[in-house]
Amino acid sequence: MHDFILKNKFQYNNQSLPVLDTTYLYYGGSAALEAKDTALAIQYFDKLANANVGGKDYLFVYQTLVNYYNAKVDKANLDKVVAAGKKLYPDNQYWVYYELQDPIYKTDKARMLSKYEEIIAKNPGNNDLNEDYTLELYNYAYTDEKNAKDDAIHNKAKAALTNLINIKPTAFYNYLMMQALQYEAGVVYDDADKIKSTKPEDIKRRNALIAAGKQKDAEAMKYGTAAADLYSKQEKMKS
């Protein structure tokens, strides 16, 4: 109806609709999203973005368009919307994270982590970004079976977690480190149990593995104790 009125230049009491009714486009696009009419929503929101309409309420418009064009792998429109959004909202954290919305990262975690590292290199002081990266890396290292014996990825995850604990020493992060070390100890013990030979060199190797497992257990206990202490302090502050 709005477009029809504009096209026919209708007036009422010498008043006509503005050429770009930002309120109409914003609420019309939002309603279209609610009604699952994505095409219409994008049509309305594109008009706002093309006109570089800004303001607190309109950040949602640019985020919606970025999500849409990311999913469509439409780089031309994506780059255009991102450029406009960054110019209007340069300090918003959304622009730090939007590159991670590529659908491929849902299945290719290694590639996602590489993208995180690329973004962190550009934003080294962003603690929230480092925190998210560390948790993603931790999950990749310790919940994906293919990484069960990957010392390189485990060490990388523990180094990131250690850095995070130094910045933000919470009970939760200490608990995660305890779990990581206990997981590694379990893998070492399993390897030791598989050695059934009574040859001196095999017995020596088995004992070395058991010793390494005990060392990891001891280290895990330190983080477990720290987690318990921090949790206790948190509870006392609540009461």
Side-chain angles (χ1 to χ4, degrees):
M1 178 61 74
H2 178 275
D3 293 338
F4 177 77
I5 292 172
L6 284 178
K7 182 179 179 181
N8 290 278
K9 299 180 180 179
F10 291 154
Q11 293 186 340
Y12 178 73
N13 288 340
N14 293 321
Q15 297 291 318
S16 59
L17 287 175
V19 175
L20 187 75
D21 188 336
T22 56
T23 301
Y24 166 80
L25 291 172
Y26 177 82
Y27 286 107
S30 298
L33 282 180
E34 287 289 330
K36 308 298 183 185
D37 190 346
T38 305
L40 181 60
I42 297 304
Q43 178 185 329
Y44 283 177
F45 285 177
D46 262 335
K47 289 181 180 180
L48 292 169
N50 289 337
N52 293 309
V53 175
K56 184 178 70 173
D57 291 339
Y58 292 93
L59 174 61
F60 171 69
V61 168
Y62 295 89
Q63 292 173 331
T64 301
L65 290 171
V66 167
N67 292 339
Y68 177 79
Y69 288 125
N70 235 335
K72 291 289 184 181
V73 197
D74 184 341
K75 191 174 187 305
N77 277 311
L78 175 63
D79 289 347
K80 183 174 69 173
V81 173
V82 168
K86 282 184 175 180
K87 187 175 180 180
L88 291 166
Y89 309 96
D91 300 322
N92 194 279
Q93 289 292 299
Y94 178 80
W95 307 113
V96 175
Y97 287 92
Y98 88 93
E99 294 178 70
L100 294 163
Q101 295 174 13
D102 191 316
I104 195 170
Y105 298 138
K106 292 181 179 180
T107 54
D108 192 339
K109 295 299 182 182
R111 192 167 174 179
M112 179 193 69
L113 291 168
S114 293
K115 174 57 73 172
Y116 256 112
E117 289 161 10
E118 178 187 320
I119 297 171
I120 287 172
K122 299 175 187 174
N123 303 271
N126 191 318
N127 289 338
D128 289 338
L129 187 62
N130 272 291
E131 188 171 357
D132 292 342
Y133 163 73
T134 299
L135 294 176
E136 291 285 0
L137 178 58
Y138 179 92
N139 286 331
Y140 177 69
Y142 293 104
T143 64
D144 193 325
E145 288 186 6
K146 72 180 180 184
N147 297 320
K149 295 185 179 182
D150 190 332
D151 289 340
I153 195 68
H154 289 174
N155 290 336
K156 191 174 185 179
K158 286 187 295 183
L161 192 52
T162 296
N163 180 59
L164 187 56
I165 289 171
N166 289 335
I167 295 170
K168 194 174 182 179
T170 66
F172 177 63
Y173 294 139
N174 277 276
Y175 172 74
L176 286 183
M177 183 66 88
M178 179 194 74
Q179 281 198 317
L181 290 162
Q182 286 179 333
Y183 176 92
E184 292 179 6
V187 172
V188 171
Y189 289 139
D190 284 344
D191 286 343
D193 287 342
K194 291 174 184 175
I195 299 174
K196 306 299 183 183
S197 171
T198 56
K199 292 180 180 179
E201 62 270 24
D202 289 331
I203 292 174
K204 183 178 180 180
R205 187 159 59 92
R206 185 174 187 274
N207 288 339
L209 286 170
I210 292 172
K214 287 181 178 179
Q215 186 176 352
K216 288 183 181 293
D217 275 337
E219 193 177 355
M221 183 61 68
K222 293 178 184 177
Y223 284 98
T225 300
D229 290 343
L230 286 165
Y231 179 75
S232 178
K233 288 177 184 177
Q234 291 169 10
E235 290 302 301
K236 286 179 181 178
M237 289 178 65
K238 291 179 182 178
S239 58

